[in-house]
Amino acid sequence: MFDTRHIKTFHEVVRAGSYSAAARELGYTQPAVTQQMKALERSVGVPLFARSGRGLRLTEAGEALARHAELILGSLSAAQQQLTALARLRAGRVRVCAFPSATATLIPSAIAQLLAEHPGVRVELHEAEPPDSVRRLLRGECDIALAFSYPGPAAGPPEGVEEIPLMEDLLTVLLPVGHPLGRRHAVRLADLAEERWIAGCQRCRANLLHVCAKQGFEPDVVFSTDDNLAVQSLVAAGVGVALMPALVLSFMCHRKVTGRTAEPHLRRKVSAFVLREHRAIPATTLVLDSLRTAAAARSGC
């Protein structure tokens, strides 16, 4: 069994090149560093350093340990961060990472409900598009990740992560006011085959290409942008047409844009993701319950 303090000191000796330099960096005395390295060598059972003139060089065993030391210290740091996160959650703080249209719709409703019923819970909000939000969850940078997905083959959540479906978000065809198809209640995608298209984020663009291909055409995508207002402004200016989720249109709708139901009906799934072991933490459960309630109020929009 290695003493983690000895591993940290060993790593600094290797980095600094001498006991004295490592002692200065760590705030130790040189004899203290020497004693720690002797203790580590006793634990290992072989010498880790050999004298080379006035300096030190690593033995074969020292080189082997040096290769592992950074990984060991990195793992310890990650473990400490996760334990700190758990302690913070038990104290009632939850970090939520969500995509922009969720932060503008689901999150405000959920937090308002939460504060009314549990004023001691604190929610920290971060913004990221999927799949980056789920990656942040895995890195311990948030406690709940909100993400959306489109129909099609799905790999499922990463190991150790639980998915909680929240709602299905209807996709709407956006047309400039005065467009001939704007008189219809619903618009067939195939009838837009000759139009220019404005695409959204990378995942939304991929879905647009997929659904149009199923209708027998390849859309002429003239612009792509993550900015929802920019998409609508381009449509309003007559540059092209677009597909946009109902969540976005519920809080942002350009007055010179007409929204019509797409045929066939198209939806994206909105879900919350959480590490499985965090589901038992009361503050996390409260936030998830509030998100479910907020999503239920919007289902079918």
Side-chain angles (χ1 to χ4, degrees), residues 29-228:
T29 63
Q30 182 172 332
V33 171
T34 301
Q35 290 302 315
Q36 285 194 40
M37 293 303 92
K38 287 182 178 179
L40 181 59
E41 288 180 328
R42 287 194 297 270
S43 298
V44 174
V46 291
L48 298 173
F49 298 99
R51 286 288 174 186
S52 178
R54 297 174 62 86
L56 294 173
R57 66 174 178 83
L58 289 170
T59 64
E60 185 177 357
E63 290 178 350
L65 182 58
R67 287 193 295 269
H68 292 284
E70 190 166 352
L71 293 175
I72 292 170
L73 294 173
S75 295
L76 286 171
S77 176
Q80 184 177 24
Q81 289 178 9
Q82 283 197 335
L83 291 173
T84 300
L86 285 171
R88 182 167 58 248
L89 285 170
R90 283 195 291 270
R93 298 179 66 189
V94 183
R95 299 164 298 168
V96 179
C97 186
F99 53 96
S101 56
T103 62
T105 53
L106 300 180
I107 297 295
S109 299
I111 293 179
Q113 174 192 335
L114 190 69
L115 292 178
E117 299 175 1
H118 305 278
V121 176
R122 293 291 180 266
V123 178
E124 296 177 5
L125 183 58
H126 306 269
E127 190 172 286
E129 295 279 2
D132 187 47
S133 54
V134 179
R135 294 194 191 106
R136 292 190 184 190
L137 176 71
L138 292 170
R139 293 197 298 264
E141 296 173 5
C142 65
D143 308 302
I144 297 173
L146 264 62
F148 60 84
S149 60
Y150 290 102
E159 184 177 355
V161 174
E162 187 170 341
E163 178 180 2
I164 299 97
L166 296 178
M167 64 176 292
E168 288 194 339
D169 192 12
L170 186 68
L171 300 186
T172 302
V173 173
L174 294 190
L175 307 168
V177 169
H179 191 286
L181 296 180
R183 294 191 293 268
R184 300 182 184 178
H185 175 71
V187 176
R188 294 173 61 247
L189 285 184
D191 291 339
L192 299 170
E194 302 303 318
E195 297 281 349
R196 295 181 301 241
W197 286 83
I198 315 300
C201 69
Q202 185 175 357
R203 183 171 284 197
C204 299
R205 178 190 174 106
N207 178 68
L208 173 65
L209 296 176
H210 174 72
V211 297
C212 289
K214 290 184 68 174
Q215 299 304 307
F217 72 98
E218 180 180 352
D220 177 18
V221 178
V222 292
F223 285 102
S224 293
T225 174
D226 292 345
D227 188 325
N228 291 317

